[in-house]
Amino acid sequence: MTEYRQIGRTMVRALDPRITALVRAERRRAEALSARLRPGSIAVVGPGPGVGRSTVAALVASVLARHQGVGVLAVDTGRGGGLHGRLALRPGGSTQEVLAGLGLRGSTDGRRPSVGHRWLRERLALADRAMLLAGGPDDAEPPVTAAEYGAVSAALSRWFPVRVVDTPALGDDPVVAAVLTRADRVVLVAGHDERGPGRLAECRSWIAPLLREPLDRIGVQVLVDREVRSAAAGGALPVEGAKRIGGMPTHVLPYDPALRAPGALRWPDLAADTRRAVLETVMQIVRDMRLR
């Protein structure tokens, strides 16, 4: 039966070159995203609430975890449980317990556990594939602070060499600067509307002085569609590939009801165009992180 199925697939691909092109593109993405990456952190930043910053961070972490395995950690440094809501499969946060175990916060019982990969996975395993360091929306525990972030990142890099960090909206919270000064890649997120390019320009001016390398070399931009848009309305950028805005590669995350639904994101629920856009975006993000 397997042989007949394979023959059938081969015949269909021969009849329709578009299917062959799609299969080759999928293989190209899988190979690129499965390549060994250098250790590093990916900071996800953007203006104001509601632009899709936590959604983009969750998608990036999920895609990387699907291809890189258990060495990917998603970190939420903002309040409100945004990343927790997009990734967590069960209630309760992990920030307080993990930071106490690492000796970076006071423990409620005064004891220090023997921290290792198994211990961390038991406490961070809140998400599908990607590990998650985050507080829930109803948790009283504070998120990772600016004073803690450097030590947290250094300690967890031993077990999780690739870290995707969701930040609060650009503003006065010092944790944003703490994340950006240690970032190896940066993802700027804004809404895909008439204000989007201007908001991205403001973000670039705000964060560029904080980075260790030029933003145009380590940065990627994502515009998130919050409503259905048509090409006739001027709302469509190509789903595959990127255009450049402000000298940086810019991808569009198309409108998808699955992204608007509350709760944890599930990859199979996303539309095909959404999955392609996310995969192309993540390929751009990790371009310079792949080991040659």
Side-chain angles (χ1 to χ4, degrees):
M1 181 63 71
T2 302
E3 294 179 357
Y4 287 119
R5 288 177 179 172
Q6 185 61 42
I7 293 172
R9 292 193 189 101
T10 303
M11 293 178 63
V12 170
R13 293 171 188 168
L15 291 172
D16 190 345
R18 293 173 299 178
I19 296 178
T20 302
L22 288 174
V23 171
R24 287 175 178 170
E26 290 290 340
R27 187 180 299 118
R28 173 177 58 86
R29 296 187 192 102
E31 291 175 353
L33 293 172
S34 299
R36 188 180 177 189
L37 302 180
R38 291 195 302 270
S41 64
I42 302 165
V44 182
V45 301
V51 297
R53 189 174 53 253
S54 294
T55 295
V56 170
L59 290 170
V60 170
S62 295
V63 167
L64 287 174
R66 291 174 71 88
H67 292 85
Q68 294 290 319
V70 297
V72 178
L73 175 67
V75 181
D76 197 348
T77 61
R79 294 183 179 274
L83 192 58
H84 186 283
R86 299 275 73 183
L87 280 178
L89 299 179
R90 61 180 172 84
S94 55
T95 303
Q96 179 62 36
E97 186 173 9
V98 169
L99 266 62
L102 293 172
L104 301 174
R105 282 188 186 172
S107 174
T108 55
D109 57 12
R111 294 182 298 175
R112 284 282 305 279
S114 177
V115 175
H117 196 268
R118 181 176 178 179
W119 185 91
L120 286 166
R121 282 186 58 81
E122 289 174 350
R123 283 140 185 89
L124 293 167
L126 300 171
D128 181 20
R129 298 178 185 267
M131 298 293 98
L132 175 62
L133 180 68
D138 300 322
D139 288 348
E141 64 183 51
V144 176
T145 66
E148 296 168 331
Y149 178 76
V152 170
S153 184
L156 293 178
S157 65
R158 173 182 175 185
W159 297 282
F160 305 101
V162 178
R163 298 166 306 285
V164 180
V165 188
D166 186 23
T167 64
L170 296 182
D172 297 331
D173 194 326
V175 75
V176 180
V179 173
L180 287 170
T181 55
R182 295 171 175 84
D184 299 281
R185 298 289 281 170
V186 179
V187 184
L188 280 65
V189 182
H192 187 206
D193 52 34
E194 64 278 358
R195 299 181 61 195
R199 302 301 295 274
L200 289 177
E202 294 172 3
C203 291
R204 292 193 298 270
S205 298
W206 200 97
I207 71 173
L210 300 172
L211 303 175
R212 295 179 294 185
E213 298 188 53
L215 177 57
D216 60 359
R217 197 184 79 77
I218 66 170
V220 177
Q221 298 178 141
V222 179
L223 293 170
V224 180
D225 258 335
R226 311 293 288 183
E227 59 185 25
V228 179
R229 297 166 67 88
S230 66
L237 288 176
V239 171
E240 293 197 62
K243 65 182 289 185
R244 298 186 75 83
I245 296 178
M248 290 175 54
T250 305
H251 295 259
V252 168
L253 191 60
Y255 175 83
D256 188 336
L259 296 180
R260 301 288 290 168
L265 298 171
R266 295 184 68 256
W267 186 255
D269 293 341
L270 303 181
D273 281 351
T274 304
R275 293 198 296 268
R276 284 197 295 272
V278 174
L279 289 170
E280 290 291 332
T281 301
V282 178
M283 284 179 59
Q284 184 77 48
I285 292 169
V286 302
R287 179 194 59 200
D288 294 331
M289 295 179 69
R290 293 197 291 267
L291 290 172
R292 298 296 193 271

